[in-house]
Amino acid sequence: TLGRYFGGTLPACSDPNYSQPNAALAAAKPGACGYTNGISYYGDNQDTHFNALQVTLAKQLTKGLSFNGSYAWQRSINFNSSFSTYSRKAVKGRDDAQREQELIAYGSYSLPFGRNRAFGSNVPGIVNEVIGGWQVSPVVNWSSGLPFTVNYSECDRSIPGDAPCYVNGDTRNLRVNIGKLDPVRHQRLGFKGTRTPLTEQPFEGLSAAPLDTIGSGGRNGKFGPNFFSTDASLQKDFPIHEALSAQFRVDAYNVFNHIALGNPGGGIDNGDQFITGLAPSQFPLRQLQFSVRVQF
């Protein structure tokens, strides 16, 4: 009854130009609206709540070395729109794209080579042009994992198919244990599951929800693999003449070729769950970019 409208006599439905999609209803109740599509809800309560605490440390050292580091604790809560028409509380959960902890450190260091430096201070001018004036700037990012929902295979025994499927219990009891890469299947173990239906036997303190009940495990209550990435740049300025200068720069993205893993599947009673892809918007391989800039 919430998804369809059959019994009304809206003026638009009485319009002779209106095409009744339900032929049986049109014959039984002339003028009734037999709207057979589901109602999509686009309300102004589909919002996101974001809170964060950030601490930053900056230090300027001698001999061309500087350091900056920041740590952020952040939490973003939103609502799955597909069921919020019936219950916003049931679909409340962490934002799919939000990592709750993030540590970023970056800095710059002028390499100690060339004239007036610790090494090669008396080299000829042409040698100084080659070894002097280089600056390296690394950026390190470590972040916690992205959230995902733990569910089970027989939700339809307890709730309708359009209701959200959550396990009952505290999903923090489920241990994420990232395994080694399987070079044949191109996957990694995400967490150990079970083949016994959750409706028959609990697993890791989690059970199937009771009849007509949405599980207390909630939406996006578990976190996947952590994220780690290191970028770096190496640059050198070449003074040419008065206001004319050039800069050569090499940028390396994902220096250590670290794979940013995606989340495993969430079906706890579908056996072991594996990671088969990358985190959103991540590339798997190291990338190098070379550039030359002339300034005048």
Side-chain angles (χ1 to χ4, degrees), residues 41-57:
Y41 184 75
Y42 301 98
D44 60 2
N45 61 346
Q46 300 300 303
D47 52 3
T48 297
H49 302 267
F50 178 78
N51 296 280
L53 174 67
Q54 181 170 318
V55 179
T56 301
L57 175 67

Side-chain angles (χ1 to χ4, degrees), residues 147-169:
F148 66 95
T149 300
V150 181
N151 53 53
Y152 61 103
S153 60
E154 296 182 316
C155 280
D156 57 355
R157 289 192 176 189
S158 303
I159 52 177
D162 57 350
C165 178
Y166 311 140
V167 295
N168 216 40

Side-chain angles (χ1 to χ4, degrees), residues 35-92:
Y35 186 67
T36 58
N37 295 323
I39 297 176
S40 296
Y41 184 75
Y42 301 98
D44 60 2
N45 61 346
Q46 300 300 303
D47 52 3
T48 297
H49 302 267
F50 178 78
N51 296 280
L53 174 67
Q54 181 170 318
V55 179
T56 301
L57 175 67
K59 179 66 175 177
Q60 183 76 37
L61 302 172
T62 59
K63 300 181 180 179
L65 176 62
S66 64
F67 169 83
N68 289 267
S70 66
Y71 167 78
W73 175 91
Q74 49 205 6
R75 176 166 292 182
S76 183
I77 300 295
N78 63 5
F79 304 87
N80 187 340
S81 61
S82 63
F83 196 75
S84 61
T85 306
Y86 306 98
S87 172
R88 274 168 52 87
K89 181 179 179 181
V91 292
K92 178 181 178 181

